[in-house]
Every structure is written in C-alpha cells, then in structure tokens.
Short mmCIF file of all heavy atoms in Angstrom, two decimals:
data_model
loop_
_atom_site.label_atom_id
_atom_site.label_comp_id
_atom_site.label_asym_id
_atom_site.label_seq_id
_atom_site.Cartn_x
_atom_site.Cartn_y
_atom_site.Cartn_z
N LYS W 1 -6.59 -6.91 -2.22
CA LYS W 1 -5.38 -7.46 -2.85
C LYS W 1 -4.94 -6.57 -4.00
O LYS W 1 -3.74 -6.41 -4.24
CB LYS W 1 -5.64 -8.89 -3.32
CG LYS W 1 -5.82 -9.86 -2.17
CD LYS W 1 -6.06 -11.27 -2.67
CE LYS W 1 -6.15 -12.22 -1.49
NZ LYS W 1 -6.28 -13.62 -1.94
N THR W 2 -5.88 -5.96 -4.69
CA THR W 2 -5.55 -5.04 -5.79
C THR W 2 -4.70 -3.87 -5.27
O THR W 2 -3.72 -3.48 -5.91
CB THR W 2 -6.83 -4.51 -6.45
OG1 THR W 2 -7.60 -5.62 -6.91
CG2 THR W 2 -6.51 -3.59 -7.61
N MET W 3 -5.06 -3.33 -4.13
CA MET W 3 -4.30 -2.23 -3.54
C MET W 3 -2.87 -2.68 -3.22
O MET W 3 -1.91 -1.94 -3.43
CB MET W 3 -5.00 -1.73 -2.27
CG MET W 3 -4.31 -0.60 -1.59
SD MET W 3 -4.67 0.94 -2.42
CE MET W 3 -4.25 2.08 -1.15
N LEU W 4 -2.71 -3.91 -2.72
CA LEU W 4 -1.38 -4.41 -2.37
C LEU W 4 -0.49 -4.64 -3.59
O LEU W 4 0.73 -4.72 -3.45
CB LEU W 4 -1.51 -5.70 -1.55
CG LEU W 4 -1.95 -5.49 -0.11
CD1 LEU W 4 -2.45 -6.78 0.50
CD2 LEU W 4 -0.82 -4.91 0.71
N GLU W 5 -1.07 -4.74 -4.76
CA GLU W 5 -0.30 -4.91 -5.98
C GLU W 5 0.33 -3.61 -6.46
O GLU W 5 1.17 -3.60 -7.34
CB GLU W 5 -1.18 -5.50 -7.09
CG GLU W 5 -1.58 -6.92 -6.82
CD GLU W 5 -2.56 -7.47 -7.83
OE1 GLU W 5 -3.18 -6.67 -8.57
OE2 GLU W 5 -2.70 -8.69 -7.88
N ASN W 6 -0.05 -2.49 -5.86
CA ASN W 6 0.48 -1.18 -6.23
C ASN W 6 1.99 -1.13 -5.98
O ASN W 6 2.46 -1.61 -4.95
CB ASN W 6 -0.23 -0.10 -5.43
CG ASN W 6 0.05 1.28 -5.93
OD1 ASN W 6 1.20 1.71 -5.97
ND2 ASN W 6 -0.99 1.99 -6.31
N SER W 7 2.72 -0.55 -6.89
CA SER W 7 4.19 -0.52 -6.76
C SER W 7 4.71 0.70 -6.00
O SER W 7 5.91 0.81 -5.77
CB SER W 7 4.83 -0.56 -8.15
OG SER W 7 4.44 0.58 -8.89
N ASN W 8 3.83 1.63 -5.60
CA ASN W 8 4.24 2.82 -4.86
C ASN W 8 4.13 2.55 -3.36
O ASN W 8 3.11 2.82 -2.74
CB ASN W 8 3.39 4.02 -5.26
CG ASN W 8 3.85 5.31 -4.63
OD1 ASN W 8 4.81 5.34 -3.87
ND2 ASN W 8 3.14 6.37 -4.93
N VAL W 9 5.20 1.99 -2.79
CA VAL W 9 5.20 1.55 -1.39
C VAL W 9 6.30 2.28 -0.62
O VAL W 9 7.41 2.45 -1.12
CB VAL W 9 5.44 0.02 -1.28
CG1 VAL W 9 5.49 -0.43 0.17
CG2 VAL W 9 4.37 -0.73 -2.05
N LYS W 10 5.96 2.71 0.58
CA LYS W 10 6.93 3.32 1.49
C LYS W 10 6.78 2.67 2.86
O LYS W 10 5.65 2.43 3.31
CB LYS W 10 6.71 4.82 1.61
CG LYS W 10 6.96 5.59 0.33
CD LYS W 10 6.60 7.05 0.48
CE LYS W 10 6.87 7.85 -0.75
NZ LYS W 10 6.08 7.51 -1.91
N ILE W 11 7.90 2.40 3.51
CA ILE W 11 7.90 1.85 4.87
C ILE W 11 8.83 2.70 5.70
O ILE W 11 9.98 2.95 5.31
CB ILE W 11 8.38 0.38 4.89
CG1 ILE W 11 7.41 -0.49 4.09
CG2 ILE W 11 8.52 -0.12 6.31
CD1 ILE W 11 7.88 -1.91 3.88
N THR W 12 8.34 3.20 6.84
CA THR W 12 9.21 3.93 7.75
C THR W 12 9.48 3.07 8.98
O THR W 12 8.59 2.38 9.46
CB THR W 12 8.60 5.28 8.20
OG1 THR W 12 7.41 5.04 8.94
CG2 THR W 12 8.32 6.17 7.01
N ILE W 13 10.71 3.13 9.43
CA ILE W 13 11.10 2.45 10.67
C ILE W 13 11.83 3.47 11.52
O ILE W 13 12.83 4.06 11.09
CB ILE W 13 11.97 1.21 10.40
CG1 ILE W 13 11.18 0.19 9.58
CG2 ILE W 13 12.45 0.61 11.71
CD1 ILE W 13 11.95 -1.04 9.18
N ASP W 14 11.33 3.67 12.71
CA ASP W 14 11.91 4.61 13.67
C ASP W 14 12.05 3.83 14.97
O ASP W 14 11.08 3.26 15.47
CB ASP W 14 10.98 5.81 13.84
CG ASP W 14 11.58 6.90 14.71
OD1 ASP W 14 12.79 6.87 14.97
OD2 ASP W 14 10.82 7.78 15.14
N CYS W 15 13.26 3.80 15.50
CA CYS W 15 13.50 2.95 16.66
C CYS W 15 14.47 3.62 17.61
O CYS W 15 15.40 4.29 17.20
CB CYS W 15 14.08 1.62 16.17
SG CYS W 15 14.13 0.34 17.42
N ASP W 16 14.21 3.44 18.89
CA ASP W 16 15.18 3.82 19.92
C ASP W 16 15.34 2.61 20.83
O ASP W 16 14.88 1.52 20.50
CB ASP W 16 14.75 5.09 20.66
CG ASP W 16 13.42 4.97 21.39
OD1 ASP W 16 13.01 3.84 21.75
OD2 ASP W 16 12.77 6.01 21.62
N SER W 17 15.95 2.77 21.96
CA SER W 17 16.19 1.63 22.84
C SER W 17 14.91 1.07 23.47
O SER W 17 14.91 -0.03 24.00
CB SER W 17 17.19 2.00 23.94
OG SER W 17 16.65 3.05 24.73
N ILE W 18 13.80 1.82 23.36
CA ILE W 18 12.56 1.40 24.02
C ILE W 18 11.47 1.00 23.03
O ILE W 18 10.83 -0.03 23.17
CB ILE W 18 12.04 2.52 24.94
CG1 ILE W 18 13.09 2.84 26.01
CG2 ILE W 18 10.72 2.13 25.59
CD1 ILE W 18 12.82 4.09 26.79
N ILE W 19 11.24 1.81 22.01
CA ILE W 19 10.09 1.64 21.11
C ILE W 19 10.54 1.51 19.65
O ILE W 19 11.40 2.25 19.19
CB ILE W 19 9.11 2.83 21.21
CG1 ILE W 19 8.57 2.97 22.63
CG2 ILE W 19 7.96 2.71 20.20
CD1 ILE W 19 7.65 1.86 23.07
N LEU W 20 9.90 0.59 18.92
CA LEU W 20 10.05 0.47 17.48
C LEU W 20 8.73 0.93 16.86
O LEU W 20 7.67 0.46 17.26
CB LEU W 20 10.33 -0.98 17.07
CG LEU W 20 10.35 -1.19 15.56
CD1 LEU W 20 11.68 -1.78 15.13
CD2 LEU W 20 9.22 -2.07 15.11
N SER W 21 8.81 1.87 15.92
CA SER W 21 7.64 2.33 15.18
C SER W 21 7.78 1.89 13.74
O SER W 21 8.82 2.12 13.11
CB SER W 21 7.52 3.85 15.23
OG SER W 21 7.30 4.28 16.54
N PHE W 22 6.74 1.27 13.22
CA PHE W 22 6.71 0.76 11.85
C PHE W 22 5.47 1.32 11.18
O PHE W 22 4.36 1.19 11.71
CB PHE W 22 6.65 -0.77 11.88
CG PHE W 22 6.45 -1.42 10.54
CD1 PHE W 22 7.53 -1.84 9.80
CD2 PHE W 22 5.17 -1.63 10.03
CE1 PHE W 22 7.35 -2.46 8.57
CE2 PHE W 22 4.97 -2.24 8.80
CZ PHE W 22 6.07 -2.66 8.07
N ASN W 23 5.64 1.98 10.05
CA ASN W 23 4.51 2.52 9.28
C ASN W 23 4.67 2.09 7.83
O ASN W 23 5.78 2.07 7.31
CB ASN W 23 4.47 4.04 9.34
CG ASN W 23 4.22 4.54 10.74
OD1 ASN W 23 3.13 4.41 11.25
ND2 ASN W 23 5.25 5.10 11.37
N MET W 24 3.54 1.77 7.21
CA MET W 24 3.58 1.38 5.80
C MET W 24 2.54 2.19 5.04
O MET W 24 1.42 2.39 5.52
CB MET W 24 3.31 -0.11 5.64
CG MET W 24 3.47 -0.62 4.25
SD MET W 24 3.53 -2.41 4.23
CE MET W 24 3.19 -2.71 2.51
N PHE W 25 2.95 2.67 3.86
CA PHE W 25 2.12 3.51 3.01
C PHE W 25 2.04 2.90 1.62
O PHE W 25 3.04 2.39 1.11
CB PHE W 25 2.72 4.92 2.87
CG PHE W 25 2.96 5.62 4.16
CD1 PHE W 25 4.09 5.37 4.92
CD2 PHE W 25 2.05 6.57 4.62
CE1 PHE W 25 4.33 6.03 6.11
CE2 PHE W 25 2.27 7.24 5.81
CZ PHE W 25 3.41 6.96 6.57
N ILE W 26 0.87 2.97 1.00
CA ILE W 26 0.71 2.66 -0.42
C ILE W 26 0.07 3.89 -1.05
O ILE W 26 -0.97 4.36 -0.58
CB ILE W 26 -0.15 1.40 -0.65
CG1 ILE W 26 0.55 0.18 -0.06
CG2 ILE W 26 -0.43 1.21 -2.14
CD1 ILE W 26 -0.21 -1.12 -0.21
N GLU W 27 0.73 4.42 -2.10
CA GLU W 27 0.26 5.66 -2.73
C GLU W 27 0.10 6.77 -1.68
O GLU W 27 -0.87 7.52 -1.69
CB GLU W 27 -1.05 5.45 -3.48
CG GLU W 27 -0.94 4.64 -4.73
CD GLU W 27 -0.19 5.35 -5.85
OE1 GLU W 27 -0.12 6.59 -5.86
OE2 GLU W 27 0.31 4.64 -6.72
N ASP W 28 1.02 6.85 -0.73
CA ASP W 28 1.04 7.84 0.35
C ASP W 28 -0.15 7.73 1.31
O ASP W 28 -0.35 8.61 2.15
CB ASP W 28 1.16 9.26 -0.20
CG ASP W 28 2.48 9.49 -0.91
OD1 ASP W 28 3.48 8.84 -0.52
OD2 ASP W 28 2.54 10.30 -1.84
N LEU W 29 -0.91 6.65 1.22
CA LEU W 29 -1.99 6.38 2.16
C LEU W 29 -1.46 5.41 3.22
O LEU W 29 -0.99 4.32 2.89
CB LEU W 29 -3.18 5.74 1.43
CG LEU W 29 -4.32 5.24 2.31
CD1 LEU W 29 -5.05 6.40 2.97
CD2 LEU W 29 -5.29 4.39 1.47
N LYS W 30 -1.50 5.85 4.48
CA LYS W 30 -1.00 4.99 5.56
C LYS W 30 -1.95 3.80 5.73
O LYS W 30 -3.12 3.96 6.01
CB LYS W 30 -0.90 5.76 6.87
CG LYS W 30 -0.22 4.96 7.99
CD LYS W 30 -0.19 5.68 9.31
CE LYS W 30 0.79 6.81 9.30
NZ LYS W 30 0.97 7.41 10.64
N ILE W 31 -1.40 2.59 5.54
CA ILE W 31 -2.20 1.38 5.70
C ILE W 31 -1.86 0.62 6.97
O ILE W 31 -2.58 -0.30 7.36
CB ILE W 31 -2.07 0.44 4.48
CG1 ILE W 31 -0.65 -0.07 4.33
CG2 ILE W 31 -2.57 1.13 3.22
CD1 ILE W 31 -0.53 -1.26 3.40
N CYS W 32 -0.77 1.02 7.63
CA CYS W 32 -0.35 0.30 8.83
C CYS W 32 0.48 1.23 9.71
O CYS W 32 1.33 1.97 9.21
CB CYS W 32 0.49 -0.91 8.42
SG CYS W 32 1.16 -1.85 9.80
N SER W 33 0.24 1.17 11.00
CA SER W 33 1.03 1.91 11.98
C SER W 33 1.14 1.05 13.23
O SER W 33 0.13 0.76 13.87
CB SER W 33 0.38 3.25 12.30
OG SER W 33 1.16 3.97 13.21
N ILE W 34 2.35 0.65 13.56
CA ILE W 34 2.59 -0.24 14.70
C ILE W 34 3.65 0.38 15.60
O ILE W 34 4.68 0.85 15.11
CB ILE W 34 3.07 -1.63 14.24
CG1 ILE W 34 2.00 -2.31 13.40
CG2 ILE W 34 3.47 -2.49 15.42
CD1 ILE W 34 2.48 -3.54 12.69
N LYS W 35 3.40 0.36 16.86
CA LYS W 35 4.42 0.70 17.86
C LYS W 35 4.57 -0.54 18.73
O LYS W 35 3.59 -1.11 19.19
CB LYS W 35 4.01 1.89 18.70
CG LYS W 35 4.08 3.19 17.94
CD LYS W 35 3.98 4.37 18.88
CE LYS W 35 3.90 5.65 18.11
NZ LYS W 35 5.14 6.24 17.80
N SER W 36 5.82 -0.93 18.92
CA SER W 36 6.10 -2.15 19.65
C SER W 36 7.31 -1.93 20.56
O SER W 36 8.19 -1.12 20.23
CB SER W 36 6.40 -3.28 18.66
OG SER W 36 6.72 -4.47 19.30
N GLU W 37 7.36 -2.64 21.63
CA GLU W 37 8.53 -2.59 22.49
C GLU W 37 9.73 -3.11 21.72
O GLU W 37 9.64 -4.13 21.02
CB GLU W 37 8.30 -3.45 23.74
CG GLU W 37 9.46 -3.46 24.69
CD GLU W 37 9.23 -4.38 25.88
OE1 GLU W 37 8.13 -4.94 26.01
OE2 GLU W 37 10.17 -4.54 26.67
N ASN W 38 10.86 -2.42 21.80
CA ASN W 38 12.09 -2.86 21.13
C ASN W 38 12.77 -3.90 22.02
O ASN W 38 13.69 -3.60 22.76
CB ASN W 38 13.02 -1.67 20.87
CG ASN W 38 14.30 -2.09 20.17
OD1 ASN W 38 14.46 -3.23 19.77
ND2 ASN W 38 15.20 -1.15 20.02
N ARG W 39 12.31 -5.12 21.91
CA ARG W 39 12.89 -6.21 22.71
C ARG W 39 13.91 -7.02 21.92
O ARG W 39 14.31 -8.09 22.33
CB ARG W 39 11.78 -7.10 23.26
CG ARG W 39 10.85 -7.66 22.26
CD ARG W 39 9.69 -8.42 22.93
NE ARG W 39 8.84 -9.02 21.96
CZ ARG W 39 7.79 -8.43 21.38
NH1 ARG W 39 7.46 -7.22 21.72
NH2 ARG W 39 7.08 -9.07 20.48
N TRP W 40 14.33 -6.48 20.75
CA TRP W 40 15.25 -7.19 19.87
C TRP W 40 16.63 -6.57 19.82
O TRP W 40 17.49 -7.04 19.09
CB TRP W 40 14.65 -7.26 18.45
CG TRP W 40 13.25 -7.73 18.48
CD1 TRP W 40 12.82 -9.02 18.67
CD2 TRP W 40 12.08 -6.94 18.35
NE1 TRP W 40 11.45 -9.06 18.65
CE2 TRP W 40 10.97 -7.80 18.45
CE3 TRP W 40 11.86 -5.59 18.14
CZ2 TRP W 40 9.66 -7.34 18.37
CZ3 TRP W 40 10.55 -5.14 18.06
CH2 TRP W 40 9.48 -6.02 18.16
N GLY W 41 16.86 -5.49 20.52
CA GLY W 41 18.17 -4.84 20.51
C GLY W 41 18.47 -4.07 19.25
O GLY W 41 19.63 -3.84 18.90
#
C-alpha cells in the first residue's frame, strides 16, 4: 500500500480494433501489464 501512495504514476493505453493494452507504472517500475480483447468498441 505504501508503494501505491507514490504520486509518480504513469498509465499507457494502446488500442486497436482487436486488442487493448493497459500498462501501469509507479516510479517508472511496471506494476501491471494487461492485454485484453477490445470488445468495447
């Protein structure tokens, strides 16, 4: 929880008609990387 309190946050979203990519960084450390089908248009 201490790490999540850090104010240096970056989120990337890259999407095309097929795939949505979501990445989240705290202090430039990647804490999350998700690829999902773009079923939301």
Side-chain angles (χ1 to χ4, degrees):
K1 291 181 177 184
T2 302
M3 180 80 161
L4 285 163
E5 291 174 343
N6 191 301
S7 62
N8 185 0
V9 178
K10 294 174 178 65
I11 297 172
T12 64
I13 298 177
D14 186 14
C15 191
D16 60 25
S17 62
I18 300 168
I19 300 292
L20 174 123
S21 295
F22 173 94
N23 295 289
M24 186 166 163
F25 304 82
I26 296 179
E27 289 290 338
D28 295 330
L29 172 69
K30 187 183 287 188
I31 64 165
C32 177
S33 182
I34 297 168
K35 287 193 186 272
S36 178
E37 180 183 355
N38 181 6
R39 55 186 183 272
W40 310 284

